[in-house]
Amino acid sequence: MYIRENRTYSKKTQSEYTKYQLVESYRSPSGPRQRVITTFLDFDLPKSSWKAVAHSFEQRILGKDSLFEEDPKIKAYVDEAYSRYLVDQDAAKETQERKDDADTSNYVIQRLLKLAKIAPKSALIGHI
């Protein structure tokens, strides 16, 4: 994981702003990819501390505690990122559960329609 700085120019306000993204690298069948974990708009840590934030967040995900006292600013950013991460994980889980439920319902409907084409109507009465 790492912190990526992303500068953007707003045509509407005629100003440039910077956002900082906590990014996870992973491998897919199509090759290496990056996934944005969270975005910080107000990130006032020096660049030398960025790696510490990424490392601390990764350790938090893995459930490992640090042996050393963390800088309070780093801990605050990690806490913020981790809470967003948990919310995103819950939302993804709910979405997957809804998709699985829909797939199951579609399967049952398709199966009943297939039975309706094959079997006489009297045979379907026991299935419904």
Side-chain angles (χ1 to χ4, degrees):
M1 285 193 191
Y2 61 96
I3 303 285
R4 175 170 54 200
E5 182 178 20
N6 191 355
R7 295 181 190 267
T8 305
Y9 182 76
S10 172
K11 291 180 183 178
K12 187 175 182 178
T13 61
Q14 302 292 318
S15 62
E16 183 179 75
Y17 66 95
T18 305
K19 60 183 175 182
Y20 302 89
Q21 298 172 323
L22 178 61
V23 180
E24 173 188 34
S25 296
Y26 65 99
R27 292 192 183 276
S28 74
S30 304
R33 300 283 185 260
Q34 292 81 39
R35 178 182 308 133
V36 175
I37 302 296
T38 191
T39 301
F40 302 105
L41 295 177
D42 184 24
F43 193 74
D44 61 347
L45 289 175
K47 202 165 189 170
S48 60
S49 298
W50 292 7
K51 190 169 184 168
V53 171
H55 178 73
S56 184
F57 179 79
E58 193 167 12
Q59 295 303 309
R60 176 83 60 93
I61 288 177
L62 296 173
K64 297 180 180 177
D65 293 328
S66 177
L67 297 174
F68 305 103
E69 187 68 30
E70 285 184 321
D71 179 5
K73 281 183 129 180
I74 291 175
K75 187 175 182 331
Y77 283 113
V78 171
D79 289 344
E80 178 185 344
Y82 189 68
S83 64
R84 288 183 191 172
Y85 175 78
L86 292 177
V87 168
D88 290 346
Q89 291 297 309
D90 288 344
K93 186 177 179 183
E94 287 176 14
T95 301
Q96 186 61 42
E97 287 173 356
R98 273 184 276 158
K99 183 178 179 289
D100 291 346
D101 289 346
D103 290 346
T104 302
S105 299
N106 287 338
Y107 172 76
V108 170
I109 291 168
Q110 293 299 322
R111 187 75 179 130
L112 287 173
L113 289 173
K114 192 179 277 188
L115 284 172
K117 289 179 183 176
I118 297 172
K121 289 183 182 179
S122 61
L124 282 176
I125 293 173
H127 292 288
I128 297 178

